[in-house]
Amino acid sequence: MGAINFTGRVLKNLFSKPVTTKYPFEPHVFKERTRGHVENDMDVCVLCGLCQMKCPTGAITVDKKEQTWEIRPFSCIQCRSCVDQCPKKSLSMAQEYQEPGSEKLTKTFPLSDAQKERLAEQARIAAEKAAAAKAAAEAKKKAEAEIKSE
Ligand code: SF4
Ligand code: SF4
């Protein structure tokens, strides 16, 4: 019985398609959920810094002054925490793995010019609102002081 099973298995393996890919002659097809490396869309990122705070290995650095987002790929463990926590959904997990190398690589991504303009405009509007609120509070305080002094 065992010999029949064994022969059947041998024959099946002889005439069936190989289960492995003939790499490098055939390109490797990544599975849909493969965690290769982290990508950032710098036209969407707002440099809030949440990804840096949530990264367990300290692989990310957000520099608001320089308006850059950096990642050290060899420190990344592909846990996806940053991708899941990003409030703007600007981070994504690409399928291709980081190429190996002998140097500790740092990838720096500057904000896109369009995003720089959008953030500058938002900051200007916020500053105007804050100034208006401060002026209103001071005017109210002055009016109250005048009523008291009468
Ligand atoms: S990638 Fe997302 S979480 Fe990180 S700084 Fe940009 S917007 Fe914030
Ligand atoms: S995937 Fe995980 S380890 Fe890699 S940068 Fe994001 S939070 Fe850090």
Side-chain angles (χ1 to χ4, degrees):
M1 195 66 183
I4 295 171
N5 280 347
F6 178 73
T7 310
R9 190 171 290 265
V10 168
L11 287 172
K12 189 179 165 206
N13 285 343
L14 272 177
F15 295 105
S16 58
K17 272 178 60 181
V19 291
T20 52
T21 311
K22 289 182 181 173
Y23 185 84
F25 305 108
E26 287 176 22
H28 178 67
V29 180
F30 292 98
K31 301 280 185 225
E32 193 190 331
R33 294 166 72 95
T34 302
R35 295 180 182 184
H37 70 277
V38 178
E39 291 274 3
N40 196 359
D41 182 351
M42 297 310 284
D43 201 34
V44 178
C45 176
V46 292
L47 299 176
C48 66
L50 196 60
C51 52
Q52 181 180 329
M53 282 191 276
K54 295 291 178 181
C55 178
T57 62
I60 296 173
T61 303
V62 177
D63 190 331
K64 291 186 184 183
K65 197 169 159 223
E66 294 296 324
Q67 297 194 307
T68 56
W69 183 90
E70 283 184 353
I71 187 164
R72 287 164 292 286
F74 296 139
S75 298
C76 174
I77 54 170
Q78 286 85 32
C79 67
R80 240 194 102 96
S81 171
C82 57
V83 176
D84 293 335
Q85 303 282 344
C86 174
K88 295 292 173 184
K89 305 286 173 221
S90 71
L91 292 173
S92 58
M93 190 61 84
Q95 293 177 323
E96 298 78 22
Y97 294 112
Q98 172 65 42
E99 288 194 359
S102 55
E103 285 180 22
K104 284 191 175 178
L105 190 66
T106 299
K107 287 180 170 177
T108 304
F109 299 84
L111 274 190
S112 73
D113 289 342
Q115 184 65 340
K116 278 183 191 169
E117 281 176 25
R118 279 192 286 271
L119 294 184
E121 180 65 7
Q122 283 172 14
R124 189 187 61 74
I125 292 169
E128 275 178 11
K129 278 187 183 170
K134 191 178 171 196
E138 280 172 3
K140 189 180 169 197
K141 206 171 157 188
K142 195 177 167 192
E144 285 171 352
E146 279 173 7
I147 290 168
K148 270 188 192 170
S149 66
E150 283 173 4

